[in-house]
Amino acid sequence: ILNVEQSPQSLHVQEGDSTNFTCSFPSSNFYALHWYRWETAKSPEALFVMTLNGDEKKKGRISATLNTKEGYSYLYIKGSQPEDSATYLCALLPSGNTPLVFGKGTRLSVIA
Amino acid sequence: GAVVSQHPSRVICKSGTSVKIECRSLDFQATTMFWYRQFPKKSLMLMATSNEGSKATYEQGVEKDKFLINHASLTLSTLTVTSAHPEDSSFYICSARFPSGDTQYFGPGTRLTVL
């Protein structure tokens, strides 16, 4: 059974602070890594699909990096805003035709 | 991004009844859809992979006669929880794989409560 770990489980930050959290996965089973942002009562929103070691992707104030050799990805949020409050999920795609394996998510609360 | 709808968003039913949940990809055709279940404080647990025109592939421990999946068209997959019991109460969420295969788009989920 593949294990995808996310830390921390939850996080409270002040508005304007920058923050980051981690997704760890088995480096021997890697095809792609997906990041999703999940707000309450909404559909999880796809943020990034990362495939190459050393990848760095950016979307506004959110960016992500990938290290496939050591099996981790970081998600960074610069200058957090209350609207960034959500659960951030990472999911491992072990091969091209297999389902995603999800971590438990990091719940971010940004306090105004 | 692409849109996936799920209906109903919330359902309360009596023990012993069956409940059908629909998952639709609104602006793309999805040959593959996935059904997940989320337990409190746990990650999304894959229940089954639904392929258009063929039988669903169930994960280990998921009863196929209990959770009936039908993927009759390229835009619709349904999950029917048969003879629901209180232990089936959970959050069920579907996703549809975009044709390029890079991304899955999720529905908003269905909260099922069985009394």
Side-chain angles (χ1 to χ4, degrees), chain B:
Chain B
V3 179
V4 174
S5 70
Q6 201 171 324
H7 178 81
S9 59
R10 187 180 294 269
V11 58
I12 300 172
C13 69
K14 291 183 180 179
S15 188
T17 59
S18 294
V19 175
K20 181 187 279 189
I21 304 169
E22 293 186 347
C23 178
R24 291 180 188 274
S25 55
L26 298 184
D27 49 5
F28 66 98
Q29 293 183 327
T31 53
T32 304
M33 291 184 173
F34 301 93
W35 287 95
Y36 296 86
R37 180 174 178 177
Q38 187 179 37
F39 294 96
K41 298 186 179 180
K42 300 283 186 184
S43 58
L44 293 174
M45 182 196 83
L46 180 67
M47 297 175 67
T49 302
S50 168
N51 295 297
E52 188 266 337
S54 64
K55 290 183 180 179
T57 303
Y58 289 82
E59 296 299 300
Q60 194 173 5
V62 178
E63 298 175 60
K64 62 180 180 182
D65 295 330
K66 172 78 173 173
F67 299 99
L68 298 178
I69 290 172
N70 186 284
H71 192 158
S73 79
L74 287 170
T75 58
L76 173 65
S77 176
T78 60
L79 168 68
T80 301
V81 183
T82 61
S83 187
H85 286 92
E87 58 266 28
D88 299 324
S89 298
S90 194
F91 184 78
Y92 295 88
I93 190 167
C94 71
S95 71
R97 179 183 278 162
F98 200 72
S100 67
D102 287 346
T103 304
Q104 288 184 30
Y105 292 93
F106 281 83
T110 297
R111 172 72 60 188
L112 170 64
T113 303
V114 185
L115 303 176

Side-chain angles (χ1 to χ4, degrees), chain A residues 59-70:
Chain A
K59 189 175 182 178
R61 293 179 290 99
I62 304 176
S63 60
T65 61
L66 177 68
N67 183 323
T68 58
K69 292 184 179 178
E70 295 182 38

Side-chain angles (χ1 to χ4, degrees), chain A residues 58-105:
Chain A
K58 192 174 179 181
K59 189 175 182 178
R61 293 179 290 99
I62 304 176
S63 60
T65 61
L66 177 68
N67 183 323
T68 58
K69 292 184 179 178
E70 295 182 38
Y72 65 83
S73 175
Y74 292 138
L75 190 80
Y76 300 91
I77 302 179
K78 186 177 178 182
S80 303
Q81 299 297 310
E83 57 264 30
D84 296 328
S85 297
T87 295
Y88 291 83
L89 293 171
C90 75
L92 173 70
L93 190 64
S95 69
N97 289 321
T98 54
L100 290 170
V101 179
F102 281 86
K104 293 181 184 178

Side-chain angles (χ1 to χ4, degrees), chain A:
Chain A
I1 297 176
L2 295 174
N3 213 23
V4 177
E5 298 282 349
Q6 287 189 252
S7 64
Q9 189 176 345
S10 65
L11 193 55
H12 291 78
V13 301
Q14 290 291 131
E15 182 177 358
D17 286 352
S18 295
T19 187
N20 66 85
F21 21 93
T22 308
C23 174
S24 303
F25 53 88
S27 55
S28 56
N29 297 88
F30 180 85
Y31 185 83
L33 190 85
H34 294 229
W35 280 100
Y36 287 88
R37 179 173 174 273
W38 194 4
E39 286 183 74
T40 304
K42 295 186 179 178
S43 306
E45 173 199 353
L47 288 175
F48 305 114
V49 179
M50 310 188 76
T51 55
L52 297 175
N53 185 43
D55 250 357
E56 181 169 348
K57 296 201 173 181
K58 192 174 179 181
K59 189 175 182 178
R61 293 179 290 99
I62 304 176
S63 60
T65 61
L66 177 68
N67 183 323
T68 58
K69 292 184 179 178
E70 295 182 38
Y72 65 83
S73 175
Y74 292 138
L75 190 80
Y76 300 91
I77 302 179
K78 186 177 178 182
S80 303
Q81 299 297 310
E83 57 264 30
D84 296 328
S85 297
T87 295
Y88 291 83
L89 293 171
C90 75
L92 173 70
L93 190 64
S95 69
N97 289 321
T98 54
L100 290 170
V101 179
F102 281 86
K104 293 181 184 178
T106 293
R107 186 188 298 272
L108 174 67
S109 298
V110 182
I111 305 160

